[in-house]
Amino acid sequence: MNEKGLKRKYTHPVKVGDISIGGNFPIAVQTMWKQPLQEVDRKLINRIKKLKDLGCDILRFAVPDEQAAHLLGELSKISTSALVADVHFDYKLALIALDYPVAKIRINPGNIGAKWKVKEVILKAKDREVPIRVGVNSGSLPFKLRQLKNTAHAMLEAAEQELEICEQYNFKHIIFSLKSSDAHTTIKANTLFSERYDYPLHLGVTEAGPLIPGIIKNTAALYTLLRMGIGDTIRVSLSSDSVTEIEAAKAIIKTVGYQTAEPNIISCPTCGRTIFPVKDFYEKIKGNIEKLHKDVTIAIMGCPVNGPGEARAADLGITGTQKHVIIFKQGKVIRRELIKNALSVFLEELDRIHE
Ligand code: SF4
């Protein structure tokens, strides 16, 4: 139990490339590449690196055909990120991807078909020492399980059917996900699974929706599960871009109370009393904060009502007063400046936190 009352359920660790999932390893952040994979070039590699720098530990690619399987394979030879092949329907695509150093294969028990196909993928993954994520989605359960009234139990059963095949071949490098577009069903299915098994869990609400409802559904489910100690890696799926998914995932992990190498940002919502332009100011310093991989609290506040209190409690805080801003560092006022100088002096102080 840590100081925030968190006790993580132990799951046996599984290596995904250089990232360890489960055990006492940090909760890993994942997202999915949102465009078709058509060619491997420097631009693509730089974009993947940018996602990694932002905090993406694992990046998944859709593999809808043989060309995509080979391209992802070639990419996995040169990328420093842990890349995952996401395979539906055609088990042969997983077999192709496994000819390359991909970090993980994701298969969906609802659509991969006969047991012998799953067996082939498992045996090759075992031979190559590549883990598999068995990704159960409530929207694509095997036909028989779709008839069950209790969706969470049906999802558990789908996972168990796949687990049975894996265990038959003594394959243990498995991560499970049980995702529904409904937050309650996601919570229930993962809780049921976690009560029975100690395989690592990848959490997410599938098809969660556009930005605001999507983040709310994901936060409701993922926060609840992580606070219960359930979950080893998360993906916040949104009808939005990958950067937003990563930022949302990192914010959920932080809010749950896990220590992360990311700043905690406090800022006021602004109101009729606002003297200092909080939103514009944050936009100007956002890039510098993103580079600050430290567990510190930064406060940006708009007026003397709540501003000094929050800014004083932060590692570095700024608040507007009349014509001035006051900058606090770990509880002490370190500078009073004219608002027009706020940006340059605050960036100076941010740089000092970097050091
Ligand atoms: S801190 Fe001041 S400006 Fe910000 S919301 Fe509160 S009262 Fe309004």
Side-chain angles (χ1 to χ4, degrees), residues 268-275 278 301-307 319:
C268 80
T270 71
C271 71
R273 289 191 185 88
T274 305
I275 298 163
V278 170
M301 303 295 293
C303 86
V305 176
N306 293 320
T319 187

Side-chain angles (χ1 to χ4, degrees), residues 237-277:
S237 70
L238 298 171
S239 305
S240 184
D241 55 90
S242 303
V243 170
T244 307
E245 289 194 359
I246 295 165
E247 287 176 347
K250 291 194 308 187
I252 291 171
I253 294 168
K254 191 113 199 151
T255 304
V256 168
Y258 285 113
Q259 275 213 335
T260 64
E262 309 295 336
N264 174 33
I265 310 297
I266 290 172
S267 66
C268 80
T270 71
C271 71
R273 289 191 185 88
T274 305
I275 298 163
F276 184 58

Side-chain angles (χ1 to χ4, degrees), residues 72-323:
L72 177 61
E74 293 300 331
L75 185 59
S76 66
K77 286 181 185 171
I78 49 179
S79 173
T80 57
S81 294
L83 306 184
V84 179
D86 185 87
V87 175
H88 291 264
F89 306 113
D90 187 353
Y91 77 106
K92 290 194 212 101
L93 300 176
L95 298 182
I96 295 172
L98 284 165
D99 285 331
Y100 297 91
V102 293
K104 186 175 66 175
I105 299 286
R106 182 268 167 129
I107 56 172
N108 181 335
N111 62 31
I112 213 76
K115 282 187 181 178
W116 64 266
K117 295 179 181 173
V118 178
K119 175 190 156 189
E120 282 209 32
V121 177
I122 288 170
L123 290 181
K124 189 159 179 179
K126 189 177 177 189
D127 183 53
R128 303 293 161 107
E129 298 184 344
V130 173
I132 292 178
R133 170 160 70 94
V134 175
V136 176
N137 274 14
S138 63
S140 55
L141 287 168
F143 178 75
K144 273 193 184 165
L145 294 176
R146 261 182 271 153
Q147 316 312 311
L148 295 182
K149 277 204 178 116
N150 188 317
T151 309
H153 280 96
M155 291 163 70
L156 176 66
E157 204 169 320
E160 286 180 325
Q161 286 178 3
E162 231 61 16
L163 177 59
E164 199 183 313
I165 311 174
C166 292
E167 290 192 330
Q168 200 178 334
Y169 298 101
N170 201 25
F171 182 71
K172 304 271 186 198
H173 300 302
I174 331 165
I175 295 166
F176 281 88
S177 65
L178 298 94
K179 298 186 183 183
S180 164
S181 54
D182 173 70
H184 299 286
T185 307
T186 301
I187 294 168
K188 184 71 187 162
N190 283 279
T191 308
L192 287 169
F193 185 91
S194 169
E195 281 165 2
R196 292 193 190 179
Y197 305 104
D198 64 358
Y199 287 100
L201 275 168
H202 161 132
L203 304 181
V205 175
T206 191
E207 278 83 53
L211 195 61
I212 292 176
I215 287 183
I216 289 170
K217 283 184 219 170
N218 270 287
T219 306
L222 274 50
Y223 179 90
T224 305
L225 286 163
L226 290 171
R227 281 299 303 182
M228 290 160 76
I230 297 171
D232 303 284
T233 174
I234 67 171
R235 184 220 172 173
V236 175
S237 70
L238 298 171
S239 305
S240 184
D241 55 90
S242 303
V243 170
T244 307
E245 289 194 359
I246 295 165
E247 287 176 347
K250 291 194 308 187
I252 291 171
I253 294 168
K254 191 113 199 151
T255 304
V256 168
Y258 285 113
Q259 275 213 335
T260 64
E262 309 295 336
N264 174 33
I265 310 297
I266 290 172
S267 66
C268 80
T270 71
C271 71
R273 289 191 185 88
T274 305
I275 298 163
F276 184 58
V278 170
K279 185 168 175 285
D280 290 350
F281 188 77
Y282 176 68
E283 289 304 323
K284 286 178 188 154
I285 64 169
K286 190 174 176 220
N288 298 63
I289 287 180
E290 278 168 3
K291 290 181 201 143
L292 186 65
H293 296 298
K294 282 193 175 175
D295 191 16
V296 290
T297 298
I298 310 286
I300 305 150
M301 303 295 293
C303 86
V305 176
N306 293 320
E310 294 288 353
R312 186 177 282 113
D315 292 289
L316 184 64
I318 185 166
T319 187
T321 55
Q322 293 303 324
K323 288 181 184 154

